[in-house]
Amino acid sequence: MLRMATAWAVGGCLLSVGAGCSHLLEARSIAQFTEELGRGDLDGLKSSTSPEFERKALRRPDAIDDLKILKLPTEKPTVVQVEDRSETEKRVVVEVGESGRKLLYKLVRDEGSGRWVVDDIYVRQKQDGVIATRSVTQQMDLLLTAREFLHAWRQGSRNDVLGVATQEFGQALGELPPPYLESLTRRVAGESAERKSQPEATVDHDVAIVTIPRRAGKLVVTCRTEEGQWKVADVAVESRTPGERLPSARGQAAALVAAVRFLDAYAAGDKQALEPLCVPKLYRGSLRAAALREFPLPDSRAALPGHELRVIGGRAEFEVAGKTKILKIGLQRPALAEVSTADGAVGDSADQSEPYRVHAVTMYELDGSQERRLSAVFTAQPVMEIFAEAFANRDLGLLRQVSTADFRERLWDRIDAAVLEDSAFDVIANAEPRVLGQNFRGALTEITVTQGERPMTYVLQDVDGELCVDDVLVPAVGRPESLKRTMETLLPVRAYGEALSRGELEWLQRSSSDDFNRLVWGQVRQVPPAAFPAIELLRLPLARIEKKGEHELLIVLGNGRRGARVTLLEQHGRRLVDDIQLVSEDQAVGLKGRLRQELAARMLAESSPRTVPPVPIDGLSAGPVHQRPISIGGPDGGRDELAPKARPSEARRTAARAGKSRIDTLRTEDFPLDEVRPTADRRSARAGFLPSVSLDPELGDVPLH
């Protein structure tokens, strides 16, 4: 129909005629329609239009009001062109008003009376600079559908509500229990705005958007054509009141269905019905083996009076307010990336074709004392006991399994089973924990226990319905209570000692500060023996951890008579060893300074002048000139004639040769220590990390390349 109208608009083949006697019947039919429209006579319009026009454009008593929205002209029309399409159909172009506005009428012959009646009207419209030809019956059908939607959602029956919706939207609404459907439709439709505020429609092929004013906002109704008729596909509420906003009634209905079904299945103890309604982690980790009666929830009927639902994208929150508690059920749809990829990646947009599933259930006490999650109530203590047993057995694999990803990445994945024997782990006694109390704080659950003689707190976190241990808090003096933070700080120190024992120079370079590398590790090609005393001291028990500055930590091992004090600096996004003070018999020696002095001594020794082989003179063993004996006087007190006489010019040349010592050309390769070079790849990886200097002012004229 629209294509034919467009063809007319661009100049299709039409028969041009005047408004003569041969077309009086067509002109009379159009004139009668125009007169009835001007009077607002609905019955008169029905008598001058076809049954199809009446069904689409005049089916409601208030259709006249919507015809006025289209602003059809009511002036006397003049027929300018007529096209006989068939014996029962004509296309007639008319002009109205002084402006000569043109309209195209489609006339059909009435089967009963044989009269020509109006079947449709095509009007050129300009919006946002775009000119298009619109069908009046199509526009009227759309506006009347919006009227019928409002009537059905405000005061119509269940069948009326489902009748104006598309098949897909109607199916989502039909799954709701009647009380919940009525609650949803009343909330969406709201109260009418003043009658003078009329709907506005935008049509694009088979999709249309109708905006309907309402008090403190507006409704945005999305319509689609199904079997040639407009149906409501979704509704959004835009409001100046935040609590009344609703991005999608279709999404609201889908989330409501999931929440209602979950409550009823839970109340009935039907675990088979619960499984598809929950995310896998919540069901397998908490509900499958739980005694549901120990934590009762209201069924859907009891929840109806105080329920609220908020939907944001692929997430929703169903809330039920009671006298002393508030129940919140978190729902979510799978992300598109999660559905489409095999590696479990999660995308930002939800898959609208997938149903909502429950991922968290939380009970809030109104006094703020507790936030109990369903997963924590059923599984917190069993998970804590599994963790404690795994730690007692030094079962690293099980510890990783029952810990959060953060706990694994920062501690368990960085060690092997042997490290669990470190004395720093002795803060957790090998004993069965006795529960003193539990504190539920939403996603976090804290279980306070005594284990052995020591009190401690296990911190567990809910991850998509599955509870995992995230940390162990142990009261301590001089170091963090957090086992995770303590061990994360201590592990680099332990690893540093192991690297020293194995002579792993490249690892030491990567784990040391810029200054330590510049003065020591960047100057050698193997670990100097002078560093070996630090190995045993770095294995001593942890005494304390002190924060010395914004980017500096001090790790103290052992005690005041024997131990090590390790300084860690924050550089390049990591904590790096800057120095180690070796403590023995109340004396402390810095490892960096000690190694630097040894390097300087070796370099100076290598740079000293070479001796000249002695040359025999008159049977005497002559050494270097400055070593040969020189007599001040003979037996008679005179001068020793065998003593050579140095000429001034020769003395200057000798001094010049001595001044040009090997210190000017000394290289790191000349050290006896240097036997193994780092690989080419490792050396290139250090480029830009170790400063390249020619002279170190702290070592005088010793060149450090």
Side-chain angles (χ1 to χ4, degrees):
M1 186 179 296
L2 284 177
R3 290 180 179 176
M4 290 187 291
T6 304
W8 160 74
V10 297
C13 293
L14 297 174
L15 179 61
S16 297
V17 296
C21 297
S22 60
H23 293 289
L24 285 177
L25 294 178
E26 295 90 334
R28 185 179 301 169
S29 298
I30 296 174
Q32 181 181 353
F33 175 87
T34 304
E35 290 174 5
E36 304 292 353
L37 178 63
R39 290 197 299 265
D41 186 349
L42 182 61
D43 292 332
L45 283 174
K46 289 181 179 180
S47 66
S48 60
T49 57
S50 68
E52 184 69 11
F53 189 95
E54 182 180 344
R55 183 180 67 84
K56 288 186 175 181
L58 304 176
R59 63 178 181 266
R60 288 182 54 83
D62 51 6
I64 292 292
D65 296 328
D66 289 330
L67 276 171
K68 293 178 180 178
I69 295 175
L70 301 183
K71 298 180 180 179
L72 292 175
T74 58
E75 296 92 336
K76 183 178 180 180
T78 302
V79 176
V80 295
Q81 292 178 326
V82 176
E83 177 190 9
D84 293 318
R85 302 297 298 270
S86 68
E87 293 182 358
T88 60
E89 181 181 339
K90 292 178 180 288
R91 297 295 176 92
V92 181
V93 179
V94 303
E95 287 184 352
V96 294
E98 296 180 358
S99 63
R101 181 184 177 187
K102 293 183 178 181
L103 289 83
L104 174 64
Y105 279 80
K106 176 185 175 184
L107 303 181
V108 296
R109 190 183 296 275
D110 183 68
E111 295 181 358
S113 63
R115 296 184 304 111
W116 291 101
V117 294
V118 175
D119 186 61
D120 205 351
I121 308 168
Y122 300 98
V123 183
R124 286 183 179 179
Q125 295 177 338
K126 184 176 182 181
Q127 185 174 5
D128 298 330
V130 178
I131 299 176
T133 302
R134 304 294 187 188
S135 162
V136 168
T137 58
Q138 188 182 44
Q139 294 180 77
M140 283 296 297
D141 188 18
L142 177 61
L143 292 173
L144 293 179
T145 298
R147 298 281 190 200
E148 291 162 352
F149 153 77
L150 280 178
H151 175 77
W153 280 51
R154 283 179 181 153
Q155 56 191 15
S157 66
R158 181 182 181 86
N159 290 336
D160 293 336
V161 171
L162 302 182
V164 298
T166 60
Q167 183 177 357
E168 191 174 6
F169 190 24
Q171 182 178 355
L173 295 172
E175 293 176 350
L176 283 171
Y180 279 91
L181 177 60
E182 183 178 352
S183 173
L184 173 62
T185 57
R186 297 292 187 275
R187 177 191 172 189
V188 171
E191 297 183 10
S192 302
E194 295 182 5
R195 185 65 189 175
K196 63 181 182 181
S197 300
Q198 300 293 348
E200 296 180 359
T202 303
V203 183
D204 184 9
H205 300 291
D206 61 345
V207 179
I209 305 296
V210 182
T211 303
I212 304 174
R214 55 171 274 172
R215 188 166 297 177
K218 60 184 177 180
L219 292 178
V220 180
V221 184
T222 302
C223 299
R224 296 182 182 276
T225 55
E226 279 190 356
E227 299 179 354
Q229 187 174 356
W230 288 107
K231 296 285 188 179
V232 176
D234 201 356
V235 188
V237 178
E238 296 181 4
S239 175
R240 293 186 291 273
T241 305
E244 295 182 359
R245 295 172 187 166
L246 184 71
S248 168
R250 180 178 165 186
Q252 192 92 353
L256 269 175
V257 168
V260 165
R261 288 180 175 175
F262 172 82
L263 287 175
D264 289 340
Y266 188 97
D270 188 349
K271 293 184 179 180
Q272 186 175 358
L274 279 174
E275 183 174 5
L277 298 172
C278 305
V279 297
K281 285 186 177 180
L282 176 62
Y283 180 77
R284 292 197 300 261
S286 301
L287 301 183
R288 182 167 56 184
L292 302 182
R293 293 183 179 180
E294 294 181 1
F295 191 75
L297 298 178
D299 62 14
S300 63
R301 289 180 178 272
L304 177 64
H307 89 279
E308 289 287 341
L309 180 66
R310 290 176 290 275
V311 178
I312 302 177
R315 291 186 173 269
E317 189 176 78
F318 181 88
E319 180 178 308
V320 181
K323 294 182 179 180
T324 60
K325 301 176 182 178
I326 296 178
L327 170 66
K328 289 186 179 180
I329 300 177
L331 305 105
Q332 65 183 24
R333 274 177 163 154
L336 286 172
E338 189 176 19
V339 174
S340 60
T341 61
D343 58 1
V346 177
D348 293 332
S349 57
D351 186 351
Q352 300 298 323
S353 64
E354 290 290 321
Y356 281 94
R357 293 187 178 185
V358 176
H359 71 90
V361 181
T362 308
M363 188 72 77
Y364 295 83
E365 301 290 338
L366 289 180
D367 60 6
S369 59
Q370 296 281 320
E371 292 181 24
R372 293 184 293 169
R373 282 203 176 184
L374 202 63
S375 56
V377 170
F378 290 135
T379 62
Q381 187 168 334
V383 170
M384 179 273 295
E385 292 172 350
I386 292 172
F387 182 93
E389 184 177 356
F391 191 88
N393 297 331
R394 298 302 191 257
D395 188 342
L396 188 57
L398 186 55
L399 287 172
R400 290 169 177 162
Q401 187 176 343
V402 297
S403 298
T404 61
D406 184 68
F407 207 177
R408 291 195 304 269
E409 292 170 2
R410 293 170 61 179
L411 182 56
W412 306 126
D413 288 346
R414 299 174 58 190
I415 65 175
D416 54 27
V419 179
L420 287 172
E421 304 301 329
D422 193 293
S423 59
F425 284 115
D426 291 343
V427 293
I428 301 180
N430 186 3
E432 182 178 352
R434 292 186 293 114
V435 177
L436 300 179
Q438 300 185 51
N439 183 23
F440 298 97
R441 296 190 293 126
L444 290 180
T445 300
E446 297 177 344
I447 304 179
T448 303
V449 304
T450 55
Q451 200 161 335
E453 300 298 325
R454 188 189 299 267
M456 61 184 60
T457 300
Y458 287 88
V459 180
L460 300 95
Q461 185 172 8
D462 186 305
V463 183
D464 292 331
E466 184 178 32
L467 219 63
C468 301
V469 177
D470 187 58
D471 204 352
V472 182
L473 306 181
V474 183
V477 178
R479 62 181 181 183
E481 291 187 349
S482 165
L483 177 68
K484 180 166 60 177
R485 287 180 53 199
T486 298
M487 294 308 300
E488 184 182 31
T489 305
L490 181 61
L491 283 180
V493 177
R494 299 295 199 214
Y496 206 85
E498 295 303 313
L500 283 173
S501 68
R502 293 191 294 267
E504 296 177 350
L505 179 61
E506 295 175 24
W507 197 97
L508 294 171
Q509 291 173 337
R510 291 194 302 270
S511 304
S512 299
S513 67
D514 293 346
D515 190 59
F516 207 163
N517 278 309
R518 179 177 64 87
L519 296 178
V520 179
W521 302 126
Q523 311 303 323
V524 299
R525 285 172 289 154
Q526 70 176 23
V527 179
F532 293 157
I535 296 172
E536 290 300 323
L537 299 180
L538 292 177
R539 294 171 178 168
L540 293 175
L542 174 66
R544 67 180 186 276
I545 299 175
E546 297 180 11
K547 188 172 180 62
K548 306 299 289 186
E550 185 178 357
H551 303 290
E552 183 177 345
L553 284 177
L554 176 65
I555 315 301
V556 180
L557 306 174
N559 51 49
R561 296 187 59 82
R562 184 171 183 268
R565 298 190 181 101
V566 184
T567 302
L568 299 180
L569 284 183
E570 185 83 25
Q571 287 183 344
H572 312 291
R574 299 170 56 207
R575 284 177 179 161
L576 304 173
V577 175
D578 185 58
D579 199 2
I580 303 172
Q581 281 193 322
L582 310 179
V583 180
S584 180
E585 300 299 331
D586 299 326
Q587 293 185 354
V589 177
L591 181 63
K592 181 166 62 176
R594 178 176 179 178
L595 295 177
R596 182 178 61 186
Q597 291 176 1
E598 180 174 302
L599 289 176
R602 288 178 178 272
M603 298 172 84
L604 290 173
E606 287 292 326
S607 65
S608 61
R610 307 271 182 160
T611 58
V612 181
V615 179
I617 301 176
D618 296 336
L620 297 177
S621 177
V625 173
H626 66 277
Q627 291 181 356
R628 283 194 274 168
I630 300 176
S631 298
I632 302 303
D636 57 355
R639 186 176 183 83
D640 186 351
E641 296 296 326
L642 295 178
K645 297 180 181 179
R647 299 175 181 175
S649 60
E650 184 178 358
R652 285 194 297 269
R653 286 196 299 271
T654 302
R657 285 195 299 271
K660 188 179 181 182
S661 89
R662 196 164 171 272
I663 193 170
D664 294 328
T665 59
L666 185 64
R667 298 173 302 169
T668 309
E669 289 84 346
D670 297 324
F671 282 96
L673 285 174
D674 303 340
E675 296 177 0
V676 182
R677 286 178 176 271
T679 62
D681 291 343
R682 294 293 188 181
R683 290 176 65 87
S684 62
R686 298 290 298 167
F689 184 72
L690 296 180
S692 176
V693 297
S694 297
L695 293 176
D696 184 350
E698 297 184 44
L699 299 181
D701 294 330
V702 181
L704 300 179
H705 295 282

